[in-house]
Amino acid sequence: GQQVMQIPQYQHVQEGEDFTTYCNSSTTLSNIQWYKQRPGGHPVFLIQLVKSGEVKKQKRLTFQFGEAKKNSSLHITATQTTDVGTYFCAGNTPLVFGKGTRLSVIA
Amino acid sequence: DSGVTQTPKHLITATGQRVTLRCSPRSGDLSVYWYQQSLDQGLQFLIQYYNGEERAKGNILERFSAQQFPDLHSELNLSSLELGDSALYFCASSVGGAAEAFFGQGTRLTVV
């Protein structure tokens, strides 16, 4: 079945440093979604990418969908302590999630 | 507030028992997903319902079952519980298709 792999599993950064998490699928995705889960919270939708090569920005967050629609990335510029949490990608229907990347930001 | 309601928030039960987790989706959402999240694990997809019908099945154990009722609320039944079933169980809903999913606060199940 469909598998979505995320790397790295954990990332510790100094506040102000950049952060990137990568998502790779074993199959071509019709779309990809990104979610953020704060510690003790529930996943919250961030964005959806549909088109090959699509790039979307939300303030300091940049999301990319690969040309082959098999991979995606989330890049955060100049991390802040409010960015702490686990970032998940999810592909297709039904929504199958990767294991997530847990981001820690050291002030 | 996502608009998705899960009850109960916490549940402690003994091994071998059976429990029912309940989910009320957002108004207008036809699709309901169930996920299991264990410590340091990702979101394991269990099952999806759409407008009362099972749409997709993931890694759901035979001891687990679910259904979606005509009013679109859903229940996840977990039976013959084992210690390893202790986890956070999330319900999510969406309008359907590839739309974004809205998650409930989760039910934390502890099996002792």
Side-chain angles (χ1 to χ4, degrees), chain A residues 63-75:
Chain A
F63 303 84
Q64 291 189 335
F65 201 8
E67 294 291 339
K69 299 182 75 172
K70 283 189 171 184
N71 57 74
S72 180
S73 65
L74 158 59
H75 179 83

Side-chain angles (χ1 to χ4, degrees), chain A residues 41-102:
Chain A
H42 60 277
V44 175
F45 174 81
L46 293 176
I47 208 160
Q48 176 173 275
L49 304 172
V50 178
K51 299 176 184 176
S52 169
E54 189 170 13
V55 177
K56 285 189 177 180
K57 291 190 176 185
Q58 288 180 351
K59 296 182 181 178
R60 294 179 295 105
L61 278 61
T62 302
F63 303 84
Q64 291 189 335
F65 201 8
E67 294 291 339
K69 299 182 75 172
K70 283 189 171 184
N71 57 74
S72 180
S73 65
L74 158 59
H75 179 83
I76 302 179
T77 303
T79 55
Q80 300 175 358
T81 54
T82 53
D83 296 325
V84 165
T86 302
Y87 292 85
F88 292 99
C89 63
N92 280 357
T93 304
L95 277 179
V96 176
F97 285 78
K99 288 198 170 183
T101 296
R102 181 177 293 183

Side-chain angles (χ1 to χ4, degrees), chain A residues 33 35 37 42 48 95 102, chain B residues 35 37 40 98 100-101 104-105:
Chain A
Q33 299 181 7
Y35 291 76
Q37 184 178 20
H42 60 277
Q48 176 173 275
L95 277 179
R102 181 177 293 183
Chain B
Y35 294 90
Q37 186 173 46
D40 284 342
E100 66 182 277
Q105 300 289 332

Side-chain angles (χ1 to χ4, degrees), chain B residues 25-108:
Chain B
R26 282 191 332 152
S27 176
D29 284 357
L30 299 178
S31 193
V32 170
Y33 300 86
W34 285 98
Y35 294 90
Q36 180 192 58
Q37 186 173 46
S38 303
L39 194 62
D40 284 342
Q41 293 293 312
L43 292 157
Q44 296 290 322
F45 169 67
L46 297 178
I47 199 164
Q48 179 199 3
Y49 281 83
Y50 181 83
N51 203 19
E53 300 290 327
E54 181 183 306
R55 175 63 65 90
K57 228 172 190 178
N59 298 321
I60 187 166
L61 299 172
E62 285 192 10
R63 300 183 286 108
F64 296 1
S65 65
Q67 54 185 326
Q68 187 179 28
F69 295 86
D71 66 352
L72 300 178
H73 91 272
S74 178
E75 293 181 355
L76 179 66
N77 301 294
L78 315 175
S79 62
S80 303
L81 285 167
E82 302 174 358
L83 296 177
D85 297 326
S86 295
L88 196 51
Y89 290 84
F90 283 109
C91 164
S93 74
S94 74
V95 295
E100 66 182 277
F102 294 84
F103 280 76
Q105 300 289 332
T107 292
R108 182 168 295 282

